[in-house]
Amino acid sequence: MTTEPIDDRPKPPLLGVLGLMLGIFLSALDGQIIGTALPTIVGDLGGLEHLAWAVTAYLLTSAAATPLWGRLGDLYGRKGAYQWAVAVFLVGSMLSGLSQTMGQLIAFRALQGVGAGGLMVGALSVIGVLVPASDRGRVQSVVGVLMPIAFVGGPLLGGFLTDRLSWRWAFYVNLPVGVFALLAVGAGVRLRKAERVRAPFDWAGVALLTTGILGLTLVSSWGGTLYAWTSPLILGTGAVAIAALALFVRTELRAAGPLIPPALFRNRNFTVSQVLGFLTGAVMLALIGYLPQYLQLVQGLSPTTGGLLLLPLMLGMMGTQLVTARLMGRPGGERRYPLLGGVLALAGSALLLLLGTDTPVALASGLTAVAGVGIGLLMQSTMLTSMAAVPREDMGAAMGVVTLLRSIGGSLGMAALGAVYTARLTASLGARLSPAEAAHLTGGGGLTPASLAGLPSAVRDAVGTAVTSGLHGTVAGGVALAAVATAVACLARPSRSPAEGPGRSPERQGAGTPTGEAAVRS
């Protein structure tokens, strides 16, 4: 039995990699930049009752389109699929900026989300087949740095553009960056033409998966906010989503050309990595979503300052991802680093239970760093393990699964832990204030940093205690999720040699399976 060379690809061109990085940055940035502009948008366009749909429409279409772009890239060309995704995203961005009514904005945000679904998965799948194993850690470390920068910089940039120019520039800013990404990838990326899978497109799988994802996204967006978790609409939507996903699994097992090849999950490390990615997305977005509430409503900080005080969390994620990407090639990294990440995420989340109404601001900010280090370890190690565990011809589908599960984990984590936060906050306020005062605050009439400054000290103290109690409930959920992640990481199978080249899963090594690449350049 002969063994194929581990990797014979040339060093990737800097210009092409830069274009791919910009696509990833745009996908992460646009999910954050619009938040600070929404109040101004509503004041300009009206339609307050439809405000949530300006966000929900984007999330729905982005999540639903993610696996579709990945599989389209596998079947018809990854470079072309990525460029089409960027083009759709830019058209949606331009039209969103030109919107004259809230209805137009919602429709164009949905179109923008369709393109955004292909930015991350498209870039990652191209990286998976373009970049040699020896350089993949360094390239992926840059990806790890871009994500926290987008999470922190998005709200700040959105607020700056809205204040200095117009809310429309929160969309227009995508245009020059996206055009440069298109040109850079067009000029700098040269892929060997992949052997196309000759199988019918899995339309049934597309319909079922889209229905399931849309249902889960609606449940996570509406549950506990617009509708009670026990309302018939939420329960019915959840039931439809679960049924659709169950039928999707059955369909994929029988399809000639499945949207998500079931063979991917025969690799233990790939399956473990997807579970870890789901859990990590839930922990990360829950902390990022609710720690600012504590910093603003308990510590009395402005939104901008509160965001800046999350820098230890973000820097912990960034620094760890830089280091982890360079260490993962060592034997046993597939198990060692996810396990270490789970332990640190568990310890870091537990440390946040120390936050109280009288915790010094500097200490409160610093305590977030440990959780950031653990989350960074989990994110980077599971991404690199996923890339190394799948054959090249399925790289797009695999990256679609990675991106999708992280997104769904984040959405469901935010929703579920947000329900815990709201329940504890409401119960605490009800026990300390009169029914009228508690209803006024929880109904949105006064629970903002600016309005709290003019309230009596007894009310401010009650709010501080209630918000801290709500945060502790959220953090306790994060501790539980991190504990599950630590246990799941123990199931990974450590390798006994440095990571093989990308696209050669252990099951397929030496099996004579073609890589699906010819020498023809595209």
Side-chain angles (χ1 to χ4, degrees), residues 54-144:
V55 177
T56 302
Y58 180 88
L59 295 176
L60 282 171
T61 55
S62 177
T66 294
L68 306 186
W69 284 112
R71 197 53 175 164
L72 286 172
D74 289 338
L75 295 175
Y76 305 112
R78 297 181 184 90
K79 176 181 173 181
Y82 173 76
Q83 290 177 307
W84 273 108
V86 174
V88 173
F89 177 79
L90 293 181
V91 171
S93 297
M94 181 181 66
L95 293 175
S96 295
L98 294 173
S99 298
Q100 300 301 311
T101 66
M102 186 60 75
Q104 290 180 4
L105 178 63
I106 292 170
F108 296 144
R109 282 284 283 171
L111 176 63
Q112 189 186 26
V114 172
L119 295 183
M120 178 76 74
V121 64
L124 291 175
S125 61
V126 172
I127 289 171
V129 298
L130 173 70
V131 179
S134 58
D135 291 326
R136 186 183 290 167
R138 281 178 289 184
V139 173
Q140 190 61 30
S141 67
V142 178
V143 177

Side-chain angles (χ1 to χ4, degrees), residues 29-408:
L29 183 72
D30 208 72
Q32 307 295 321
I33 195 173
I34 191 64
T36 49
L38 280 177
T40 305
I41 292 174
V42 171
D44 191 9
L45 300 182
L48 177 62
E49 67 276 13
H50 303 303
L51 173 62
W53 276 103
V55 177
T56 302
Y58 180 88
L59 295 176
L60 282 171
T61 55
S62 177
T66 294
L68 306 186
W69 284 112
R71 197 53 175 164
L72 286 172
D74 289 338
L75 295 175
Y76 305 112
R78 297 181 184 90
K79 176 181 173 181
Y82 173 76
Q83 290 177 307
W84 273 108
V86 174
V88 173
F89 177 79
L90 293 181
V91 171
S93 297
M94 181 181 66
L95 293 175
S96 295
L98 294 173
S99 298
Q100 300 301 311
T101 66
M102 186 60 75
Q104 290 180 4
L105 178 63
I106 292 170
F108 296 144
R109 282 284 283 171
L111 176 63
Q112 189 186 26
V114 172
L119 295 183
M120 178 76 74
V121 64
L124 291 175
S125 61
V126 172
I127 289 171
V129 298
L130 173 70
V131 179
S134 58
D135 291 326
R136 186 183 290 167
R138 281 178 289 184
V139 173
Q140 190 61 30
S141 67
V142 178
V143 177
V145 170
L146 290 177
M147 299 300 287
I149 291 176
F151 279 125
V152 174
L156 297 177
L157 180 60
F160 175 82
L161 292 173
T162 301
D163 291 338
R164 300 291 182 178
L165 297 172
S166 164
W167 61 265
R168 299 180 187 276
W169 278 95
F171 300 106
Y172 293 153
V173 71
N174 295 328
L175 300 180
V177 180
V179 169
F180 181 82
L182 273 177
L183 297 176
V185 170
V189 172
R190 293 291 183 270
L191 298 180
R192 285 181 280 188
K193 188 174 292 184
E195 181 180 288
R196 295 179 179 178
V197 178
R198 298 189 180 279
F201 192 74
D202 185 16
W203 291 110
V206 170
L208 290 170
L209 181 62
T210 301
T211 301
I213 292 173
L214 293 182
L216 288 179
T217 307
L218 287 174
V219 168
S220 63
S221 300
W222 290 348
T225 54
L226 296 178
Y227 305 97
W229 286 104
T230 56
S231 67
L233 180 62
I234 294 298
L235 294 177
T237 304
V240 170
I242 293 172
L245 293 175
L247 288 173
F248 170 73
V249 172
R250 181 181 179 184
T251 299
E252 295 304 277
L253 292 173
R254 300 179 177 181
L259 183 66
I260 297 178
L264 293 175
F265 295 93
R266 294 173 188 164
N267 184 295
R268 177 189 293 184
N269 285 353
F270 181 83
T271 303
V272 168
S273 293
Q274 304 327 300
V275 177
L276 290 176
F278 179 90
L279 296 171
T280 304
V283 174
M284 180 183 69
L285 288 186
L287 294 182
I288 291 175
Y290 294 101
L291 277 172
Q293 300 291 318
Y294 167 82
L295 293 172
Q296 294 177 40
L297 299 176
V298 178
Q299 299 288 359
L301 304 175
S302 67
T304 300
T305 305
L308 290 175
L309 286 176
L310 288 181
L311 282 178
L313 174 70
M314 299 303 178
L315 291 175
M317 291 173 58
M318 291 166 57
T320 306
Q321 292 189 75
L322 283 169
V323 174
T324 306
R326 298 174 183 270
L327 297 177
M328 275 294 292
R330 299 180 180 180
E334 298 90 343
R335 183 178 186 182
R336 181 185 305 117
Y337 298 111
L339 183 57
L340 178 60
V343 171
L344 289 175
L346 174 60
S349 299
L351 282 175
L352 296 178
L353 292 172
L354 299 176
L355 295 176
T357 56
D358 57 351
T359 303
V361 173
L363 178 60
S365 177
L367 285 176
T368 66
V370 179
V373 172
I375 291 171
L377 269 169
L378 284 168
M379 290 181 65
Q380 191 70 294
S381 60
T382 53
M383 176 62 74
L384 290 170
T385 298
S386 298
M387 283 185 170
V390 300
R392 291 175 188 167
E393 59 267 27
D394 290 330
M395 187 66 71
M399 293 302 100
V401 173
V402 171
T403 306
L404 176 64
L405 288 179
R406 282 189 183 182
S407 174
I408 292 178

